[in-house]
């Protein structure tokens, strides 16, 4: 998935917590989120908070869908509130998801492989 495809997918699935997301979808959207927040903070604090609020739900949704790709419940994302547990989330986000269908849907990379 390319940078622009990832942004388009995440914004189209604005608050959709169902399904699965590939690694590239998560990391490209994370990069987009950081870039938007950086540019917005250079302009004004109000723009920063506006961008933060506007992009919070798509970022949360793509993180939950990424956990679904690992066949884990989205509730595991609550571990992000525990500082040392963020390492576990980071490892899960970096690992390859479940190959084939799992409890949360079809493999997002199966479409690319064909």
């Amino acid at each position: 998935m390319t940078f622009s495809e990832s942004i388009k997918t995440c914004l189209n699935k604005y608050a959709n917590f169902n399904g699965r997301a590939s690694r590239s979808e998560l990391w490209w959207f994370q990069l987009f989120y950081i870039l938007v927040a950086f540019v917005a903070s250079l302009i004004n604090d109000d723009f920063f908070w506006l961008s933060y609020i506007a992009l919070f739900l798509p970022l949360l949704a793509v993180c939950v869908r990424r956990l679904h790709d690992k066949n884990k419940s989205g509730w595991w994302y609550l571990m992000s509130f525990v500082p040392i547990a963020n390492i576990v989330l980071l490892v899960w986000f970096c690992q390859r998801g479940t190959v084939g269908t799992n409890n949360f849907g079809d493999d997002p990379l199966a479409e690319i492989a064909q």
Side-chain angles (χ1 to χ4, degrees):
M1 179 171 284
T2 65
F3 182 71
S4 59
E5 288 173 342
S6 172
I7 295 167
K8 190 183 304 183
T9 301
C10 290
L11 292 179
N12 284 338
K13 296 180 177 182
Y14 191 84
N16 183 1
F17 295 89
N18 298 322
R20 295 167 63 176
S22 63
R23 286 178 290 189
S24 59
E25 183 179 342
L26 171 72
W27 293 116
W28 282 125
F29 193 74
Q30 280 276 22
L31 177 64
F32 171 73
Y33 185 77
I34 290 168
L35 292 174
V36 167
F38 177 72
V39 170
S41 69
L42 293 177
I43 296 171
N44 188 339
D45 282 343
D46 294 334
F47 283 118
F48 169 76
W49 287 108
L50 183 64
S51 69
Y52 178 80
I53 291 168
L55 294 177
F56 175 74
L57 270 179
L59 182 66
L60 180 62
V62 75
C63 288
V64 168
R65 288 195 312 269
R66 181 71 197 128
L67 285 171
H68 287 174
D69 193 41
K70 292 290 298 167
N71 208 21
K72 306 245 183 259
S73 170
W75 289 105
W76 279 101
Y77 193 67
L78 291 176
M79 281 195 326
S80 64
F81 293 113
V82 180
I84 196 72
N86 283 322
I87 296 169
V88 174
L89 282 175
L90 181 63
V91 168
W92 285 347
F93 287 160
C94 291
Q95 289 177 339
R96 168 79 164 93
T98 306
V99 177
T101 304
N102 69 13
N103 295 335
F104 299 100
D106 295 329
D107 189 353
L109 297 180
E111 300 166 358
I112 297 170
Q114 294 176 351

